[in-house]
Amino acid sequence: MYDLIGHVHGELDALERLLRKLGYRQDAGVWRHPDRQAVFVGDLIDRGDQSRQVVATVRAMVAAGSAHCIMGNHEFNAIGFHTPDPRGGGYLRPRSDKNHRQHAATLESYRGHAAQLADDVAWFQGLPFWLALDGVRVVHAAWSPEAMAVVEASGVRERRDWPTAFPEAFDESASLGAALSEVLKGVEWALPDGVSFRDKDGNHRTEARVAWWQVAPGDRWPAVAMGPPSLTAALPDEAIPAHYPVLQYPAEAPPVFFGHYWLWGEPSSLATNVACLDYSVAKGGQLVAYRWAGEQRLQRAHFVAVAG
Ligand SMILES: [Mn+2]
């Protein structure tokens, strides 16, 4: 059985307290549980000040078979940030001030450990973009069969050197880049004309993440857009455009776990078989896990949290 663990974001102390609370113990330097495995939903790095140590902890668990880990958008971005664009001119993820700021805490934690950073970025390249385990599904942001089909068909997973073999993976105007963006960063829709907000990092945005597990025709913006209070305050109480697609996660499908949505408050599921495990640990929230016992209908009592 699996313990699904949300974004760690460089918070080693919170991770160790959570693992202990879940019944894991350190044995020869590796956290293990006698009969359970941890599954990390990605975003191990950035924001907190111990990204390097968090990656070392999780890598050791994966190598020992006591954990699985999938890719988050922060690991994906790190790969692009550190990989020269084979088409020439800079890096696959531009080293802009904004991108540098987003990655700064990780760079700081690897200061003096350049070889380890290169080795860990190579390890990020091998992380799965999603996982279907025995009875559960895990993805960083959106379980989107259409986007996953594009990724599968591209052949991107068959090459360990995929960032240089498929540089369009980092270009959201290319079909592969758009599909990976949907899986790793979620479904985003343009807001109504004139509506914008500032995200948690102060960036100006005119698109909002939407609740891809439940959008029905006629739903109104406040029910489907996911974001900080600044977004909620800006949203008009009007129906989403009729041509926007219906998005549903089937109630009979295996439970799906993801992160990425910066939730606050008491952890609970979003639908009977849908749970987000991102409770904003790096911004004063909680690090959250779900202790799965084989159930199809997720239970509030199975969420386990520690303060950030
Ligand atoms: Mn994320």
Side-chain angles (χ1 to χ4, degrees), residues 7 9 43 73-74 140 184 260:
H7 300 198
H9 274 317
D43 282 6
N73 59 308
H74 283 258
H140 188 69
L184 296 171
H260 200 66

Side-chain angles (χ1 to χ4, degrees), residues 157-169:
R157 297 307 294 159
E158 277 113 66
R159 303 255 324 233
R160 187 64 192 239
D161 64 343
W162 63 263
T164 48
F166 295 89
E168 68 274 24

Side-chain angles (χ1 to χ4, degrees), residues 225-250:
M226 306 285 295
S230 55
L231 168 66
T232 315
L235 285 173
D237 184 24
E238 61 183 57
I240 55 174
H243 65 274
Y244 278 26
V246 175
L247 300 172
Q248 294 287 329
Y249 186 75

Side-chain angles (χ1 to χ4, degrees), residues 68-156:
H68 299 272
C69 182
I70 64 165
M71 192 180 297
N73 59 308
H74 283 258
E75 285 77 39
F76 182 81
N77 289 346
I79 293 165
F81 191 90
H82 294 286
T83 306
D85 188 332
R87 299 161 298 189
Y91 290 80
L92 288 171
R93 180 170 172 81
R95 293 191 164 185
S96 62
D97 287 350
K98 169 175 171 272
N99 292 345
H100 212 280
R101 267 200 309 281
Q102 194 183 62
H103 199 39
T106 297
L107 294 172
E108 181 61 30
S109 82
Y110 280 93
R111 187 191 293 267
H113 298 267
Q116 189 63 54
L117 175 60
D119 198 60
D120 285 346
V121 170
W123 181 72
F124 295 160
Q125 287 178 209
L127 294 175
F129 291 120
W130 63 84
L131 272 179
L133 294 165
D134 187 19
V136 294
R137 293 169 168 178
V138 192
V139 67
H140 188 69
W143 191 274
S144 165
E146 296 79 12
M148 290 167 165
V150 172
V151 176
E152 294 275 20
S154 73
V156 69

